[in-house]
Amino acid sequence: MSEVLLITGGTAPLEGRVRIEGSKNAALPIVAASCLIPGDIRLRNVPNIRDIRDQFRLMNEAGWHSRVFGDEVRLTLGHQMPTALPRSILLRMRGSIYALVVHLIRSGYINFPGVGGDVIAGRSLEPHIRAFAGLGFSVSQSREGIKISGENPRCGEFRLDDKIAGVTASATALMLSAVAEGRSVIHGVSREPEVLEVARFLKACNAKISWDKSTAIVEGPITTKPSSWALPTDRVVWGTFAAAIAATGGRGVLPTLKTDEAESIVSVFDDCGVSVSHDADGVTVSGRPTRPLRLETGIFPRFPSDLAPQMTALMAVAPGTSTLIENVYPHRFDHIRQLVRSGLNAVVDGPKVSVLGGSLQPGVWSGSGIRESASLLLCGLLPRGPSRLQQISSIARGYENLVERLVQLGGQIEIIDEGAPTA
């Protein structure tokens, strides 16, 4: 049996207060980084999503025990040595690369078929391989997978990417270099907020980390770690709910983001006429767009690529023609093509998509990646009538109870088991 969402759109605006979970893309590496050295730790504001639960399963295979108390998780090192990592999780989750770091440091050898995650053109494991090799590990690749071996990382100087590496490769390089004794220089490192949060955590573990633009200078080894650590709010989840509220013409109160993280996101809502106000109670988002969106993704501090698909919902209701230029993953428009079959007046031209608002009709769509699936869910709330969203499993990888929380805000969404026996 597979779950399908039945979404009745055009009924009522979304209204209410929204709690936003901790950042997935910061939690995945920090969970692993906290397992690089002995000692218990208490992680707070941990998102209850499938990718994080899978990460704790991988840490358990590395000898760590986790106990969950609401949004708090306590990690304790057991006595068993690492065992083979479940292939199914490795091939499902890109963040499993961090678990491989923990296994490698503890056992000196890893052999894996690859790592999973959303299928997005342009993604590669090459920067991650450069990180392992640049820090002294022996790496061999074949049709069967990748083998990496070595007793401990050795400090070195290397380039992760010809331009700027992604979050997972950058965080992987920082973790490995923080374990090495001595000074490492890594060029082409991302400075996205989630990577900087990993650096902040490693500095709390006694690593010394400084920056020269996209070059990270890391002095290890890490020798201790804090007894507790609070994860930051997930800015992509924040933007997803803000987009859902604004696209339906609703009013919602969200928690305050860090100023530098919020600027590129909030400015898009401001520019298209959505009301965004700040006070001690949080951030209030209200009203539909009154102007077209002009949106361009890029590396931080520009608009995050992981939030671009969800902005389709705003573009679908904004007056006039809105444009989005996707500079990070220029082929990330599979969801747009499905919406075009449901009447959306959109044209994809390479990395650019143009959308004329007001044309979307109900439809039957299929989810793919985490953010693309969330975008289709939001779009189902807009046209009057029922829409169906199939293949929704990826949503749970990146969002904590997204459907249930949208329903609490007033969305009419029903989860049905397709193929379930009827009475």
Side-chain angles (χ1 to χ4, degrees):
M1 293 185 298
S2 59
E3 290 186 332
V4 175
L5 297 182
L6 180 61
I7 313 161
T8 304
T11 55
L14 301 184
E15 296 186 347
R17 178 177 294 275
V18 185
R19 183 192 72 82
I20 304 297
E21 61 264 31
S23 166
K24 167 195 167 178
N25 288 335
L28 285 169
I30 288 175
V31 166
S34 66
C35 297
L36 289 172
I37 47 178
D40 297 354
I41 188 170
R42 179 167 53 97
L43 299 175
R44 293 176 283 122
N45 199 30
V46 178
N48 181 18
I49 58 176
R50 193 172 76 187
D51 274 11
I52 298 298
R53 294 192 295 270
D54 282 346
Q55 189 76 314
F56 285 123
R57 283 185 59 193
L58 295 176
M59 292 303 101
N60 184 66
E61 301 295 338
W64 287 82
H65 303 305
S66 58
R67 290 184 295 167
V68 180
F69 305 88
D71 67 351
E72 178 179 305
V73 177
R74 298 178 187 176
L75 283 165
T76 304
L77 180 61
H79 298 294
Q80 72 269 29
M81 287 301 293
T83 58
L85 292 173
R87 180 186 178 94
S88 60
I89 296 180
L90 291 176
L91 295 178
R92 182 166 66 223
M93 184 178 71
R94 191 168 180 82
S96 61
I97 192 75
Y98 305 128
L100 294 171
V101 172
V102 177
H103 277 247
L104 180 61
I105 297 302
R106 289 209 70 197
S107 67
Y109 175 80
I110 51 176
N111 181 1
F112 60 102
V115 298
D118 292 348
V119 178
I120 301 175
R123 272 186 168 178
S124 166
L125 279 182
E126 179 59 30
H128 307 73
I129 300 303
R130 290 188 185 185
F132 286 107
L135 287 157
F137 289 99
S138 174
V139 181
S140 63
Q141 302 184 63
S142 67
R143 290 182 179 179
E144 288 72 35
I146 302 171
K147 297 178 181 179
I148 304 176
S149 60
E151 289 300 318
N152 285 298
R154 300 191 303 270
C155 57
E157 181 171 359
F158 58 94
R159 174 168 287 280
L160 274 182
D161 195 280
D162 294 338
K163 296 180 180 178
I164 302 295
V167 169
T168 58
S170 298
T172 297
L174 290 178
M175 290 164 58
L176 287 168
S177 58
V179 175
E181 185 171 355
R183 181 175 182 267
S184 296
V185 180
I186 314 166
H187 303 284
V189 181
S190 166
R191 296 190 67 175
E192 294 288 325
E194 296 80 7
V195 176
L196 296 181
E197 183 67 14
V198 174
R200 195 169 75 90
F201 177 81
L202 293 171
K203 290 169 73 173
C205 298
N206 284 349
K208 296 179 180 178
I209 302 177
S210 58
W211 297 88
D212 181 6
K213 297 181 180 177
S214 63
T215 295
I217 301 96
V218 184
E219 293 186 44
I222 50 178
T223 56
T224 185
K225 62 187 175 188
S227 59
S228 69
W229 192 265
L231 294 163
T233 298
D234 195 310
R235 59 188 176 128
V236 174
V237 176
W238 192 100
T240 300
F241 276 98
I245 291 165
T248 62
R251 183 181 186 277
V253 180
L254 294 86
T256 302
L257 286 176
K258 292 181 180 178
T259 302
D260 58 340
E261 295 182 18
E263 186 173 354
S264 66
I265 299 173
V266 170
S267 64
V268 170
F269 288 87
D270 282 334
D271 291 347
C272 72
V274 173
S275 173
V276 182
S277 60
H278 305 255
D279 58 30
D281 201 34
V283 180
T284 300
V285 176
S286 61
R288 280 195 176 91
T290 59
R291 296 183 289 274
L293 281 75
R294 300 286 183 265
L295 182 59
E296 188 168 353
T297 68
I299 61 174
F300 187 79
R302 298 174 77 175
F303 194 85
S305 176
D306 269 0
L307 189 51
Q310 300 88 308
M311 302 306 287
T312 305
L314 281 183
M315 299 168 74
V317 298
T321 300
S322 297
T323 57
L324 163 64
I325 300 175
E326 174 55 273
N327 292 309
V328 180
Y329 298 115
H331 304 288
R332 201 173 192 173
F333 296 127
D334 286 348
H335 65 295
I336 295 285
R337 295 180 177 90
Q338 293 193 63
L339 295 171
V340 167
R341 294 198 296 268
S342 297
L344 185 68
N345 192 336
V347 177
V348 176
D349 181 13
K352 179 181 178 181
V353 60
S354 302
V355 177
L356 178 62
S359 56
L360 181 63
Q361 299 297 316
V364 178
W365 311 310
S366 295
S368 52
I370 298 170
R371 312 307 175 184
E372 292 76 13
S373 299
S375 173
L376 292 171
L377 170 54
L378 266 55
C379 286
L381 296 169
L382 307 179
R384 185 171 296 279
S387 294
R388 291 168 60 88
L389 179 57
Q390 307 165 149
Q391 300 178 20
I392 62 172
S393 60
S394 65
I395 294 176
R397 291 185 45 227
Y399 292 92
E400 187 176 300
N401 302 322
L402 177 60
V403 171
E404 290 81 354
R405 287 192 286 170
L406 289 173
V407 169
Q408 290 173 0
L409 295 174
Q412 293 194 19
I413 310 167
E414 183 182 357
I415 304 175
I416 58 176
D417 285 332
E418 198 167 63
T422 57

